[in-house]
Amino acid sequence: MLWIPDLLIYEMTEMVDGPHSPYLYVSHDGIVLIEEEMKVISTCKMDIHKFPFDTQRCNITFSSAIHVVTDIQLIPFSNSSRVTQASREVMQTQGEWEFLDMTVSRGKLILDREWDQISYTITMARRPLLHVINFLLPILFFLCLDLASFLISDQRGEKLGFKVTVLLAISVLLLILNDILPSMSNRTPLIATYCTVIFAFMLLSLLETILVTHLMERDSVHQETGIDHAPAYDCDNKPDHTPCHTCDPEEERRRGCCACICDVSGRKAPCEPLPVAE
């Protein structure tokens, strides 16, 4: 015999009914109180520009589907401060989010007709500690490792492999970030810009190492070619009193070192090349 109004939540996408209570309260002045518990999955427009240091506001709006404002008027039972205090007392776990406050506002939906509605705005802040430890600090540590790799000698091949390994590790963290962040956002998150800048620095560092390694290999090839084609000096055409010509230090460095000995006595003998260690 009890008439129950049809109330719905605009942002609701899925509802799971809780334990149903068959009891209700009827007072002498005609007020009937019904309490129902339900689990609601709703939509919320999020701004993740400051992720993971963001604060979100989500609305839960109650209204009737068929009864207009002349049939049903919705009036909040408590004000914003009392609702916030009651929510803090009954809240069991908060997980990644920290509940800040809840505000109550009354409004109307006007189309061809007018519906009364009540909106509860929930303000919550994300706890950034987990993301800072698991994501932001490792990327910063990888950047420090990449900078420290400049102390590795260029003569050894480990430097290039080390930089490639660090770059691959950053790529894995970027894939994890892609799974964490929503696919659609109005603005680019600051954490994405942070990761892109670090990735670009490390890529430039890798290109610099490749260029330096290439130049050093070309220089070593030129030095080996210069040693193979080093000229041999002949003392046959020199006078008896003239000693054999030897390379000066600057010419030795440029030609790759050439040394010879010759007999400066009365006999004329050709110069004998001496092998010079590399």
Side-chain angles (χ1 to χ4, degrees), residues 141-151 162-163 201 205:
F141 291 157
F142 280 131
L143 178 62
C144 295
L145 285 177
D146 185 76
L147 295 177
S149 65
F150 285 104
L151 302 178
F162 180 81
K163 285 184 172 292
F201 280 141
S205 173

Side-chain angles (χ1 to χ4, degrees), residues 65-255:
I66 60 175
H67 297 285
V68 295
V69 67
T70 56
D71 299 331
I72 294 180
Q73 293 185 4
L74 302 180
I75 301 174
F77 184 75
S78 303
N79 55 21
S80 299
S81 60
R82 293 181 59 184
V83 169
T84 301
Q85 183 64 27
S87 300
R88 294 183 187 275
E89 293 176 356
V90 301
M91 190 170 296
Q92 299 291 334
T93 58
Q94 300 186 36
E96 182 184 359
W97 298 94
E98 179 183 1
F99 174 77
L100 299 181
D101 61 7
M102 180 185 297
T103 58
V104 184
S105 61
R106 184 183 179 187
K108 289 180 174 58
L109 176 62
I110 302 176
L111 295 175
D112 55 343
R113 293 182 294 175
E114 187 175 352
W115 288 268
D116 204 2
Q117 61 183 14
I118 294 180
S119 296
Y120 292 83
T121 303
I122 304 172
T123 304
M124 50 190 175
R126 192 190 306 270
R127 289 189 171 96
L129 183 60
L130 182 63
H131 297 285
V132 170
I133 295 177
N134 292 341
F135 192 83
L136 295 180
L137 288 182
I139 290 184
L140 185 60
F141 291 157
F142 280 131
L143 178 62
C144 295
L145 285 177
D146 185 76
L147 295 177
S149 65
F150 285 104
L151 302 178
I152 302 177
S153 175
D154 292 327
Q155 301 288 348
R156 308 176 64 182
E158 293 87 356
K159 183 175 182 179
L160 184 60
F162 180 81
K163 285 184 172 292
V164 171
T165 303
V166 174
L167 197 63
L168 290 177
I170 293 293
S171 302
V172 173
L173 290 178
L174 291 180
L175 291 177
I176 298 176
L177 178 64
N178 188 37
D179 295 335
I180 295 176
L181 294 179
S183 58
M184 299 296 293
S185 178
N186 295 331
R187 294 184 297 174
T188 302
L190 294 178
I191 189 173
T193 306
Y194 165 78
C195 295
T196 304
V197 171
I198 290 183
F199 190 84
F201 280 141
M202 298 180 68
L203 182 60
L204 291 177
S205 173
L206 178 61
L207 294 177
E208 179 268 340
T209 303
I210 294 174
L211 179 61
V212 170
T213 304
H214 174 69
L215 294 178
M216 293 183 65
E217 289 180 354
R218 290 186 57 183
D219 184 66
S220 63
V221 170
H222 289 326
Q223 288 183 1
E224 292 176 359
T225 306
I227 293 177
D228 293 339
H229 297 84
Y233 294 96
D234 190 4
C235 298
D236 290 342
N237 298 326
K238 291 183 178 294
D240 293 344
H241 62 278
T242 304
C244 174
H245 173 72
T246 58
C247 302
D248 59 302
E250 185 66 25
E251 189 175 7
E252 288 181 1
R253 184 184 62 81
R254 182 170 55 86
R255 294 177 178 272

Side-chain angles (χ1 to χ4, degrees), residues 254-273:
R254 182 170 55 86
R255 294 177 178 272
C257 290
C258 155
C260 63
I261 59 172
C262 58
D263 188 0
V264 294
S265 60
R267 298 173 298 164
K268 291 182 179 180
C271 292
E272 177 185 355

